């Protein structure tokens, strides 16, 4: 039951007064076999269940598990998360561009530092999603208007430089 002073119930979900859905004690299970729907990233790769829609920086559930995670964790409902992913997306694009510039100039230690910083930033999942989606058969549509970024992400040397440190 929601606390009337601090929460209200909307569509059966507990929502804070600022509109953010809380996970609280929600552990959805499959109607088919009763298995848990929330992903354990140590057991299942979230990229197989969730797609980060670039450049909107919102998640789309690809499976029942992905949809449950999106809803329960409020991945698209919390503006701070979406805005953080937008910032991370811009930073990740700059990182691949800086890597290319440093590499072209023969500044390999600087390029390695760009990679280290990129993977150690908050929301590095955005960078991982960019590399993952650059290999998708519909990559040109996923990166519509961002052809330069897609070209960089598909460059074998850049992929090796970034993904060998992921």
């Amino acid at each position: 039951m929601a606390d009337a002073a601090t929460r209200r119930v909307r569509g059966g979900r507990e929502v804070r007064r600022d509109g953010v859905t809380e996970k609280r004690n929600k552990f959805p299970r499959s109607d088919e076999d009763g298995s848990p729907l929330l992903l354990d990233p140590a057991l299942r790769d979230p990229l197989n269940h969730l797609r980060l829609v670039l450049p909107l920086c919102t998640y789309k559930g690809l499976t029942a598990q992905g949809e449950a995670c999106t809803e329960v964790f409020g991945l698209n409902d919390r503006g701070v998360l979406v805005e953080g992913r937008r910032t991370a997306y811009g930073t990740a694009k700059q990182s691949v561009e800086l890597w290319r510039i440093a590499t072209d100039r023969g500044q390999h230690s600087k390029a390695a530092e760009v990679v280290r910083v990129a993977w150690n930033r908050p929301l590095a999942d955005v960078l991982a999603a960019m590399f993952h989606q650059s290999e998708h058969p519909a990559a040109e549509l996923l990166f519509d208007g961002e052809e330069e970024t897609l070209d960089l992400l598909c460059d074998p040397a850049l992929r090796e430089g970034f993904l060998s440190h992921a």
Side-chain angles (χ1 to χ4, degrees), residues 13-98:
R13 300 187 310 176
E14 289 191 15
V15 179
R16 293 191 326 219
R17 291 208 182 276
D18 63 4
V20 175
T21 303
E22 294 184 352
K23 178 188 176 299
R24 301 191 51 107
N25 60 351
K26 297 175 189 163
F27 299 98
R29 296 192 168 275
S30 168
D31 291 335
E32 296 169 8
D33 62 8
S35 62
L37 290 177
L38 297 182
L39 293 169
D40 178 347
L43 301 176
R44 293 194 173 126
D45 185 351
L47 291 175
N48 294 329
H49 301 274
L50 293 163
R51 170 152 305 127
L52 183 60
V53 180
L54 301 170
L56 298 176
C57 295
T58 58
Y59 278 102
K60 176 181 179 5
L62 301 176
T63 64
Q65 292 90 353
E67 289 175 10
C69 289
T70 300
E71 182 178 330
V72 171
F73 299 128
L75 297 179
N76 298 330
D77 298 334
R78 295 188 281 169
V80 67
L81 292 179
V82 175
E83 190 55 38
R85 289 190 294 263
R86 277 193 193 109
T87 300
Y89 183 52
T91 302
K93 289 191 304 183
Q94 291 172 348
S95 294
V96 297
E97 291 168 8
L98 286 173

Side-chain angles (χ1 to χ4, degrees), residues 61-139:
L62 301 176
T63 64
Q65 292 90 353
E67 289 175 10
C69 289
T70 300
E71 182 178 330
V72 171
F73 299 128
L75 297 179
N76 298 330
D77 298 334
R78 295 188 281 169
V80 67
L81 292 179
V82 175
E83 190 55 38
R85 289 190 294 263
R86 277 193 193 109
T87 300
Y89 183 52
T91 302
K93 289 191 304 183
Q94 291 172 348
S95 294
V96 297
E97 291 168 8
L98 286 173
W99 184 91
R100 169 54 57 213
I101 292 167
T103 302
D104 288 350
R105 292 180 179 169
Q107 299 172 332
H108 300 292
S109 61
K110 184 173 184 175
E113 180 65 6
V114 168
V115 170
R116 186 191 69 74
V117 170
W119 285 118
N120 287 314
R121 287 187 181 272
L123 303 170
D125 62 316
V126 173
L127 183 59
M130 290 169 65
F131 279 107
H132 186 262
Q133 291 182 35
S134 70
E135 293 184 309
H136 192 279

